[in-house]
Amino acid sequence: MAENTKREVDLVEENESDAVIAKKMKKDTKSDQGNDKSVSANPLFGFKTTTVLRESAREKNMFIHGKLNDQEAVIIMEKTPIREDTLLELFNCSRLKLEMSNDIYRTYQLQPPAHLNEIKTTVVCPATEKHVKKYLLQETYLVEESGDDYRSITLPYIQSQSFSVQWVYNILEKKAEAERIVFEDPDQAVGFVLLPDFKWDQKQLDDLYLIAIVHRRDIKSLRDLTVQHLPLLNNIRKKAEENILNKYGVAASKLRVYLHYQPSYYHLHVHFTALSFEAPGSGVERAHLLSDVIQNLELDSQYYHSRSLTFPLRSGDGLLSKFKEAGKL
């Protein structure tokens, strides 16, 4: 039969009325793109690849190290999710190449319209050696850190490094990303800004991901929290959950709310992700539920001052070397 041979299939022919709708949608999308002033010349032109740091067929992403305009750069490329609101156009305006047909089963290579085949691309430039190591695939070790270990090993290491959080201050001061802020409590003691994480493209709720960044600049991580910070933590939980419900229709019971330890940057922030989304770093070895943090501090005002905490470190991490030198691994 003809369907058993390799061939291209245009789905538009299968349903003329749907095709009319789809063509109109496609035309409208192109018109919108033509009016989009954010579209500019290709900023990646001339990028020279040095090495692929990491790639995942399952997560459909790739991390590439190279040179951009003679500066070290890291490019992160990730296929965007399929969205329900694009299905009609996807089915009616794509071309399909038949690969296999066996009884009721058929496999195709689907070629969607260009604007439905996007790759989310993040550029870090100029990138430092720390950025390169951050995205490099490395062996991972689990470290158990006591309160004394934190003060004698981790804290001195943090203080000796140039972990810049200027980009965080730019957000808090509205010098950057001001248009992305979805809520702000300006109180300098218990206030915060809430904005989408870059891992979320804001086009579907299944992978909802927002970050609450506190205005206070004297709290580096979970280790600094004491009972005096309970008003701040309770305020973040209450107001962020209310605003996520009002703006996105996602109830608190559908959210995973947590802090990382070790954090990726040393300025207190709280993660809000959809419960259905297995966000990077949401595993038990790194994520601490905000509700548990609050209860622990209510029971013991100095809980995170003395409690041993376990977290993963990769082989190239300088902190791992410090723990090895101290005989802790």
Side-chain angles (χ1 to χ4, degrees):
M1 295 177 63
E3 70 174 4
N4 289 325
T5 64
K6 297 279 185 180
R7 62 185 177 86
E8 289 193 351
V9 182
D10 191 341
L11 292 185
V12 176
E13 297 175 358
E14 295 183 5
N15 191 320
E16 185 175 352
S17 60
D18 282 352
V20 172
I21 297 173
K23 286 178 181 178
K24 182 179 184 301
M25 293 169 63
K26 189 173 182 180
K27 180 180 179 182
D28 291 344
T29 304
K30 286 184 176 180
S31 176
D32 289 343
Q33 289 179 328
N35 294 327
D36 187 356
K37 295 181 180 179
S38 66
V39 177
S40 58
N42 181 5
L44 299 182
F45 182 79
F47 177 78
K48 297 178 181 178
T49 300
T50 301
T51 184
V52 174
L53 300 172
R54 176 161 39 112
E55 60 181 315
S56 170
R58 180 177 180 272
E59 297 179 0
K60 297 178 176 58
N61 59 25
M62 181 178 284
F63 300 76
I64 308 106
H65 172 220
K67 287 278 186 90
L68 185 61
N69 299 325
D70 294 324
Q71 291 184 309
E72 297 292 326
V74 172
I75 309 294
I76 304 168
M77 308 188 77
E78 178 183 8
K79 289 289 291 182
T80 54
I82 299 170
R83 306 198 324 266
E84 184 177 352
D85 63 349
T86 66
L87 290 180
L88 177 60
E89 187 177 3
L90 193 63
F91 291 147
N92 287 279
C93 292
S94 298
R95 299 188 68 85
L96 276 75
K97 185 176 182 179
L98 181 66
E99 291 199 325
M100 182 278 293
S101 178
N102 183 357
D103 192 30
I104 64 172
Y105 302 101
R106 296 176 184 83
T107 302
Y108 300 90
Q109 281 291 334
L110 185 147
Q111 299 171 353
H115 63 279
L116 297 182
N117 195 29
E118 299 171 340
I119 297 178
K120 178 183 176 184
T121 304
T122 303
V123 180
V124 182
C125 183
T128 65
E129 184 180 354
K130 292 175 185 175
H131 290 113
V132 175
K133 287 183 177 180
K134 175 181 178 180
Y135 298 115
L136 180 65
L137 180 62
Q138 301 177 59
E139 191 174 5
T140 304
Y141 298 82
L142 208 57
V143 175
E144 183 174 334
E145 173 196 85
S146 68
D148 288 338
D149 290 338
Y150 171 73
R151 288 178 285 279
S152 64
I153 302 174
T154 305
L155 184 58
Y157 173 76
I158 294 172
Q159 293 171 337
S160 69
Q161 302 298 304
S162 55
F163 294 122
S164 175
V165 291
Q166 184 56 50
W167 65 273
V168 175
Y169 299 157
N170 289 343
I171 293 174
L172 296 175
E173 296 169 5
K174 311 296 192 305
K175 294 179 180 178
E177 303 184 46
E179 72 285 353
R180 300 182 68 247
I181 295 174
V182 299
F183 172 76
E184 179 181 15
D185 180 339
D187 189 288
Q188 294 300 301
V190 300
F192 63 97
V193 298
L194 182 70
L195 71 165
D197 187 275
F198 279 116
K199 297 180 186 68
W200 184 37
D201 62 11
Q202 303 179 63
K203 294 180 179 178
Q204 60 282 313
L205 297 178
D206 289 344
D207 55 350
L208 176 144
Y209 197 150
L210 296 105
I211 300 286
I213 303 176
V214 304
H215 279 296
R216 292 184 60 157
R217 303 188 181 189
D218 60 339
I219 312 174
K220 291 183 291 297
S221 72
L222 196 64
R223 281 293 190 191
D224 292 330
L225 294 174
T226 67
V227 69
Q228 70 169 333
H229 299 117
L230 284 175
L232 168 65
L233 300 177
N234 282 309
N235 187 55
I236 291 173
R237 181 169 65 172
K238 179 177 183 295
K239 291 184 178 177
E241 288 178 349
E242 287 177 351
N243 279 274
I244 291 173
L245 176 61
N246 293 336
K247 185 172 181 62
Y248 303 107
V250 180
S253 59
K254 296 288 187 179
L255 294 173
R256 182 186 292 109
V257 185
Y258 56 95
L259 296 86
H260 279 152
Y261 192 80
Q262 290 280 324
S264 55
Y265 53 95
Y266 293 96
H267 179 105
L268 191 72
H269 56 284
V270 180
H271 302 256
F272 290 78
T273 66
L275 193 59
S276 58
F277 178 44
E278 295 182 11
S282 60
V284 296
E285 66 274 18
R286 192 177 175 201
H288 297 256
L289 292 176
L290 178 59
S291 57
D292 288 346
V293 173
I294 290 172
Q295 289 185 55
N296 289 336
L297 292 174
E298 288 173 341
L299 293 171
D300 181 352
S301 64
Q302 298 290 319
Y303 182 89
Y304 292 102
H305 181 81
S306 57
R307 168 66 194 267
S308 289
L309 298 175
T310 303
F311 51 86
L313 288 176
R314 293 189 293 175
S315 57
D317 196 306
L319 182 57
L320 181 68
S321 298
K322 295 298 181 183
F323 270 86
K324 287 182 176 179
E325 291 172 6
K328 299 293 182 178
L329 284 178

